[in-house]
Amino acid sequence: MTETQTVEAPEAQRTTTKRTVRMPFLDWTRGLAATIMLQGHVFHSFARPELRESGPYVISQFIGGIAPAIFLFLTGVTLAFMMHSMERKLASRQDRLMTALRRAAYLGVLAFAFRIQLFLFGWPYSPAQDLLKVDILNCMALAIVTMSGLAVLRTPQRVHAGVVVGLMIACASPLVAMLPADVLSGVARMYLAPDANYFAYFPWAAFLAFGISAGSVLKLVKADHMHRLMQWSAILGFGLIVSAQYFSNIPYSLYPAVDFWINSPGLILIKLGVIMVVLAVTFLWTHHGAGEGWSWVRQLGTTSLLVYWVHIELVYGRWLGFWKEGLTLAQCSIAAIALILTMIGLSYLRTHGTWRRPAFGFFGGLPESASGRVSGD
């Protein structure tokens, strides 16, 4: 963690003292999520069917399930940074709202461009319905649209509002899942109802709401208090994991039916707890010197959309189709390492080559890098 402090100048120069601290732990967290995602998708695509009940495969997929939650959470964090910035610039409420909606539109365009690219590359074997598949980018866009109204609030108000919205989405997820097909069907159901095959609004958008709350806290906390904040993040994270696991295992429920792995509020809170612990760990790691210089983990984190986009085509497209459901667990491990190394190389070219300016720098973060700043004012 690097710390910079401006030297106080005479008042006539119209400068003010302001301490800012970079937060590379956000990129580290995103890069860790990207690594988890890469290995999970390799095992999911290439492992032989008879090996999918084995311990290593189950662990791979269980760990991989936290990656999209981290991406959505960090999208909320950087959305909160943007909202705070607009507030500091004294932008009107209409301008704040429109800026958030433009961010949603940007992600929506990327989502459909992603589906169209996959469809064209898979032609003529790609089913037309794949164009409507709800992926994580679609979920991000819809979530930002519904939460754009938080931009008109003050940053302290967004801290509480994000938590409330996130809990409402998590708690409503089992109820939405029970809606009959004649009430919620077709594309609307894919976008809204919990489903193992889609990144539906319920419950995944809850992570973006929680991220807005966390990002607002990061903008309010003073630099000198970051250590204490991360200590509380770890404590609260472990508390959420233990308490949510306990209440998920009690023999009665407030809901007529709950699928723990798809729509359970308990699982959402467990994943949120894991994210909070991971943030504390990556902050500690980067603060004590590990964040200095080049890091392959942070490198992946700064270009996670590019990594996501390209690896999906490689893993699930035609390029490596001859390996689909045909590798042993050891071979999947080797393939995962090879893919991670390839994505690191691609990411490095993205940030150090001559083609650094395309839209691929945004995936839950700011263009180029997702490191925010925490200020002492």
Side-chain angles (χ1 to χ4, degrees):
M1 178 74 70
T2 59
E3 182 173 341
T4 59
Q5 181 172 2
T6 60
V7 179
E8 188 170 2
E11 184 177 358
Q13 295 181 0
R14 299 184 180 180
T15 60
T16 59
T17 301
K18 182 177 180 179
R19 294 177 61 199
T20 61
V21 178
R22 293 290 295 177
M23 292 190 283
F25 71 96
L26 296 180
D27 283 331
W28 269 75
T29 304
R30 187 176 289 104
L32 179 62
T35 304
I36 294 172
M37 171 188 67
L38 292 172
Q39 67 80 27
H41 286 170
V42 167
F43 276 80
H44 181 264
S45 180
F46 298 148
R48 294 176 180 174
E50 65 270 18
L51 301 175
R52 298 184 177 233
E53 299 297 327
S54 63
Y57 180 86
V58 172
I59 292 174
S60 166
Q61 299 308 293
F62 177 77
I63 296 175
I66 194 65
I70 293 177
F71 287 137
L72 284 157
F73 182 90
L74 293 180
T75 299
V77 169
T78 51
L79 183 64
F81 289 171
M82 182 201 72
M83 291 178 176
H84 179 79
S85 177
M86 294 293 291
E87 178 186 344
R88 290 291 305 276
K89 294 176 181 178
L90 302 179
S92 67
R93 290 187 174 184
Q94 181 179 357
D95 287 342
R96 296 186 208 176
L97 180 62
M98 292 306 299
T99 300
L101 291 175
R102 282 194 293 269
R103 181 64 58 91
Y106 171 63
L107 283 172
V109 170
L110 287 181
F112 286 106
F114 176 62
R115 301 313 312 177
I116 292 172
Q117 178 266 311
L118 291 177
F119 177 79
L120 293 177
F121 275 48
W123 178 266
Y125 304 104
S126 301
Q129 58 265 31
D130 279 0
L131 290 170
L132 300 177
K133 185 175 181 180
V134 180
D135 214 325
I136 190 169
L137 292 172
N138 305 76
C139 181
M140 286 180 179
L142 179 59
I144 294 176
V145 169
T146 61
M147 299 176 201
S148 59
L150 298 181
V152 305
L153 302 178
R154 296 175 56 249
T155 300
Q157 295 173 319
R158 279 193 294 274
V159 174
H160 303 94
V163 173
V164 171
V165 172
L167 289 175
M168 290 175 61
I169 294 172
C171 293
S173 294
L175 301 177
V176 176
M178 291 186 293
L179 291 176
D182 57 344
V183 175
L184 188 64
S185 61
V187 176
R189 191 169 193 86
M190 288 192 294
Y191 269 91
L192 297 177
D195 192 303
N197 298 314
Y198 306 108
F199 285 94
Y201 185 89
F202 296 93
W204 288 104
F207 294 109
L208 193 139
F210 291 135
I212 291 176
S213 178
S216 300
V217 171
L218 289 173
K219 280 301 181 182
L220 291 173
V221 72
K222 294 182 179 180
D224 295 340
H225 296 164
M226 279 294 291
H227 275 83
R228 180 62 59 87
L229 175 65
M230 288 301 147
Q231 290 173 5
W232 277 108
S233 178
I235 293 171
L236 293 175
F238 279 117
L240 278 176
I241 294 170
V242 173
S243 58
Q245 177 66 23
Y246 171 79
F247 285 107
S248 296
N249 289 329
I250 57 178
Y252 55 86
S253 173
L254 297 175
Y255 303 97
V258 177
D259 188 323
F260 179 79
W261 296 108
I262 296 178
N263 56 48
S264 169
L267 180 61
I268 299 303
L269 295 179
I270 289 173
K271 288 183 177 181
L272 176 62
V274 172
I275 294 171
M276 295 175 68
V277 173
V278 169
L279 286 174
V281 171
T282 55
F283 172 81
L284 181 66
W285 180 261
T286 56
H287 179 80
H288 289 283
E292 300 292 339
W294 184 84
S295 162
W296 67 268
V297 179
R298 189 179 182 189
Q299 179 67 54
L300 287 177
T302 58
T303 59
S304 49
L305 174 58
L306 176 64
V307 170
Y308 174 79
W309 195 305
V310 174
H311 100 276
I312 289 292
E313 178 60 41
L314 290 176
V315 174
Y316 292 106
R318 293 183 181 180
W319 303 88
L320 302 177
F322 49 87
W323 282 347
K324 294 292 180 64
E325 299 186 350
L327 300 185
T328 65
L329 295 177
Q331 290 170 332
C332 285
S333 299
I334 295 173
I337 294 173
L339 180 64
I340 291 171
L341 292 175
T342 301
M343 292 300 100
I344 293 171
L346 179 63
S347 175
Y348 187 85
L349 290 176
R350 162 68 178 84
T351 57
H352 293 78
T354 58
W355 52 298
R356 294 188 295 175
R357 300 309 303 177
F360 289 115
F362 183 92
F363 184 47
L366 303 172
E368 295 300 333
S369 174
S371 292
R373 290 182 182 271
V374 56
S375 60
D377 50 16

